[in-house]
Amino acid sequence: YHDSNVCYGIAYYADIRKIEYEGELCGGKRWGHGAQYDRNGKVVYEGDWINGEQIRYSMSITKENEMSSVLHSHLKELIIGEMCFNTESLTCVDFSKMPLLTKLSIGDECFTYAKSVSIIGMEFLESVVIGWQSFCRMKPDPSDIEDEGFEDAEGSEDAEDAEDSDAFEDDNNAYLFVVANCKRLKELRIGLECFRDFDGCIIEYNPALEVIEMGSRDVEGIGCLFYSASLFVTRRLHRGSE
C-alpha cells in the first residue's frame, strides 16, 4: 500500500532467493502471525510478531524505552519502572485493554496526569503492585478556577458524599480508580501518596482478593492515599447478595 508492504507477503534472502519470512505484515514490518526460515529453508520461528520482532509476553518499561515500546493485548506480565508515562495527554489509563495480564507492577512517580484508572474484567490478573507517588498530580483548587465555570457534582462548594459507586457515573470530572470483576486477583498493593487527589476508589466483585495494602505500616496514618476519596469495597458472596 503506497510504499509499504501490508497484510500478507513473502520476503526472500536477496542472494539465494529462498524464503526468509512468510506471514502477516503491517507498515512494512512483520506484524501478526508468520514464520521465519533459515537459509536452508528450515523454520526457526513460527508464531506472532509485533513491530517486526517476535512477540514478548513479558515487558519491562523504563523511562528510556517507554516511547519505543509497543504495548499489546497479548502481554501476560507488565513491569513499569520509575517516572514513566508522565505526559499531559495521558489522562485515561485502562489496563483492561491487556486482558491476558497476570501481573501488573508500576514503579514510583508514574502516570502523573492520570484522571481515571481502570482495571476491570481482567480474568487472569493475579497481582497489582503500585509504587510511591504514582497517579498523584494535584487537582486544580476549585477556588482558583471558580471564574472559569468549574463546579462540583452538585453545583455547590461542598457536594454531599456519594452513597454508592453509581454516584460517580454521571460526573465526568471525577478522578476514579476502579478495580472490578477480576476473578483471580489475589493482591492489590498501593504505595504512599498515590491517588492523592482522586475522588473515588472502587474495589468490587474480586472474589479471590486476599490482600489490600495501602500505604505503609511504618508511616503514621494512611500516607496521603486517596486523601479525600470515597471508598467502596464489595464482594459478591452468592447470587443476589454482597
Side-chain angles (χ1 to χ4, degrees):
Y1 180 76
H2 294 304
D3 295 327
S4 296
N5 294 324
V6 300
C7 295
Y8 188 90
I10 300 174
Y12 296 86
Y13 288 101
D15 55 341
I16 58 176
R17 300 299 297 168
K18 286 189 176 183
I19 295 177
E20 179 183 8
Y21 173 81
E22 181 177 7
E24 295 176 293
L25 302 165
C26 180
K29 297 181 180 181
R30 303 174 186 183
W31 207 308
H33 190 82
Q36 180 179 349
Y37 298 81
D38 65 16
R39 297 174 67 85
N40 296 315
K42 181 180 179 181
V43 175
V44 294
Y45 173 77
E46 182 174 6
D48 292 325
W49 300 76
I50 294 287
N51 199 33
E53 300 179 352
Q54 296 177 19
I55 194 169
R56 292 184 292 164
Y57 297 101
S58 178
M59 186 175 294
S60 295
I61 304 294
T62 65
K63 189 172 179 60
E64 289 72 30
N65 71 9
E66 67 174 85
M67 299 302 296
S68 60
S69 298
V70 178
L71 300 176
H72 55 82
S73 60
H74 291 263
L75 279 175
K76 296 182 179 179
E77 182 177 85
L78 178 60
I79 301 172
I80 301 174
E82 298 179 356
M83 302 181 68
C84 291
F85 300 115
N86 292 327
T87 58
E88 292 188 28
S89 60
L90 188 54
T91 58
C92 179
V93 181
D94 187 358
F95 291 104
S96 309
K97 304 298 184 182
M98 294 175 277
L100 301 183
L101 278 183
T102 61
K103 177 181 179 180
L104 173 61
S105 177
I106 301 172
D108 302 341
E109 299 181 72
C110 295
F111 297 100
T112 303
Y113 291 91
K115 295 181 179 180
S116 68
V117 183
S118 300
I119 303 174
I120 301 174
M122 300 181 69
E123 181 178 356
F124 303 100
L125 187 63
E126 297 180 358
S127 173
V128 176
V129 178
I130 301 173
W132 290 20
Q133 294 183 325
S134 288
F135 307 97
C136 73
R137 181 173 67 104
M138 293 289 289
K139 287 197 303 184
D141 188 323
S143 62
D144 294 336
I145 59 177
E146 183 176 357
D147 293 338
E148 298 181 26
F150 288 89
E151 58 185 12
D152 55 56
E154 296 296 328
S156 62
E157 293 183 358
D158 297 308
E160 295 181 358
D161 292 336
E163 294 181 357
D164 52 42
S165 60
D166 293 337
F168 293 109
E169 292 183 357
D170 297 327
D171 187 356
N172 293 327
N173 295 319
Y175 283 48
L176 292 180
F177 173 67
V178 182
V179 181
N181 297 315
C182 299
K183 68 180 185 180
R184 300 187 187 183
L185 183 64
K186 296 180 179 179
E187 66 168 352
L188 172 62
R189 302 180 187 273
I190 304 175
L192 295 169
E193 296 189 47
C194 293
F195 306 100
R196 184 170 52 206
D197 290 284
F198 271 51
D199 300 301
C201 173
I202 302 171
I203 304 171
E204 59 184 4
Y205 307 145
N206 305 293
L209 191 56
E210 299 174 353
V211 176
I212 300 177
E213 179 180 292
M214 297 185 181
S216 171
R217 294 181 179 179
D218 299 328
V219 177
E220 184 178 353
I222 198 171
C224 292
L225 283 91
F226 299 104
Y227 189 76
S228 57
S230 297
L231 172 66
F232 301 95
V233 181
T234 64
R235 177 179 179 181
R236 179 169 294 173
L237 300 179
H238 56 79
R239 182 172 295 180
S241 68
E242 296 180 354

